[in-house]
DNA sequence: GTCTATGCAAAACGTTTGCAGATAT
DNA sequence: ATATCTGCAAACGTTTTGCATAGAC
């Protein structure tokens, strides 16, 4: 699981478990809070060191996410994300244009392309509903 | 240029000029340093407030760039970036798969997609050369 | 027993903010 | 004249780090 010379401590197992059992992409702070329920003395430093270790060895993936904090993902394969600009939710998505896009980017820039990642910004279904309800209420009120 | 009620101060003009005349995408710290040559007492707060004001009104564009600091771009249209994982250089690139990708993302997630941004990670031409030279030297040395 | 990992605390980093005084309009 | 903007300094949230101790192997 982790290369020889590394120790599988209870803290590391707990951190890995939290990422793998998470219902969504967690920040380091969220992981820290969840692990703290079982290990009340765990330190932020341990959480960060462990997350980076796990990511480096391909057990999890880190997404350094613009505005705010990095998110950690149990998925380790390449994939893209959709980000709700209203509530902040971050959802995985597969988009099939990968190969063509990379080839174009390589040709246009001379770079050797190793990886890529697309972030779509938008409004999630639940926030669309809320917005639509608000618009309807506003119309009703105006009458 | 900037809506009524806002003031065009020398500091704001200098900050806008630095972004527009930059040879590449600058961080807030780099902009601060450059503006400081002309306005030695300028404050970080002023730089950030101005950059956000300019971005909000569409005079520049901010890219909250994962790992490190936000970069500010004189281009205000949608475009993608190629990032050199060796030297950190960040270069603009156009990729034509936009419409299809957005449609797929919308269908798969139910999101209303407003925007998207792809970051390609790779090795820039100059770092490729350096690497190739190093490999050749290593081979020569081994003989 | 050895060497790595942990907890703690301090600091680093990019960024934001409250406030009194300065300045564009 | 007045509302906005500036500079300063303090504070913020995230992440990293040095160090002595604890604990996995």
């Amino acid at each position: 699981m982790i290369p020889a010379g590394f120790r599988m401590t209870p803290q590391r197992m707990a951190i890995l478990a939290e990422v793998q059992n998470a219902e969504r992409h967690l920040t380091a702070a969220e992981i820290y809070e969840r692990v703290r329920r079982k290990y009340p003395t765990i330190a932020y430093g341990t959480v960060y060191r462990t997350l980076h270790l796990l990511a480096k060895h391909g057990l999890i993936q880190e997404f350094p996410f613009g505005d705010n904090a990095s998110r950690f993902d149990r998925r380790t394969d390449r994939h893209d994300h959709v980000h709700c600009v209203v509530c902040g939710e971050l959802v995985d998505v597969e988009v099939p244009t990968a190969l063509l896009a990379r080839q174009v980017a390589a040709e246009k820039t001379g770079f050797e392309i190793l990886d890529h990642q697309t972030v779509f910004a938008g409004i999630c279904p639940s926030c669309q509903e809320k917005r639509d309800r608000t618009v309807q209420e506003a119309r009703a009120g105006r009458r």
Side-chain angles (χ1 to χ4, degrees), chain A residues 47-63:
Chain A
V47 172
Y48 276 104
R49 280 186 281 233
T50 300
L51 289 169
H52 291 152
L53 181 75
L54 296 172
K56 190 175 171 187
H57 293 292
L59 285 120
I60 64 172
Q61 195 170 181
E62 174 171 1
F63 292 101

Side-chain angles (χ1 to χ4, degrees), chain A residues 79-136:
Chain A
H79 62 277
D80 302 304
H81 289 103
V82 181
H83 178 226
C84 180
V85 296
V86 180
C87 69
E89 186 167 3
L90 195 63
V91 176
D92 292 339
V93 65
E94 321 296 329
V95 185
T97 54
L99 286 171
L100 178 62
R102 287 169 76 134
Q103 201 176 315
V104 171
E107 277 166 16
K108 290 198 177 177
T109 62
F111 272 58
E112 184 180 315
I113 306 291
L114 303 171
D115 191 17
H116 80 281
Q117 156 74 10
T118 302
V119 178
F120 297 88
I123 303 175
C124 73
S126 136
C127 287
Q128 286 175 44
E129 266 180 50
K130 271 180 212 149
R131 175 196 58 186
D132 295 344
R133 263 203 305 281
T134 309
V135 170
Q136 282 186 348

Side-chain angles (χ1 to χ4, degrees), chain A residues 1-9 12 49 53-54 56-57:
Chain A
M1 191 179 229
I2 282 189
F6 291 89
R7 294 177 183 167
M8 186 40 74
T9 63
R12 288 183 174 177
R49 280 186 281 233
L53 181 75
L54 296 172
K56 190 175 171 187
H57 293 292

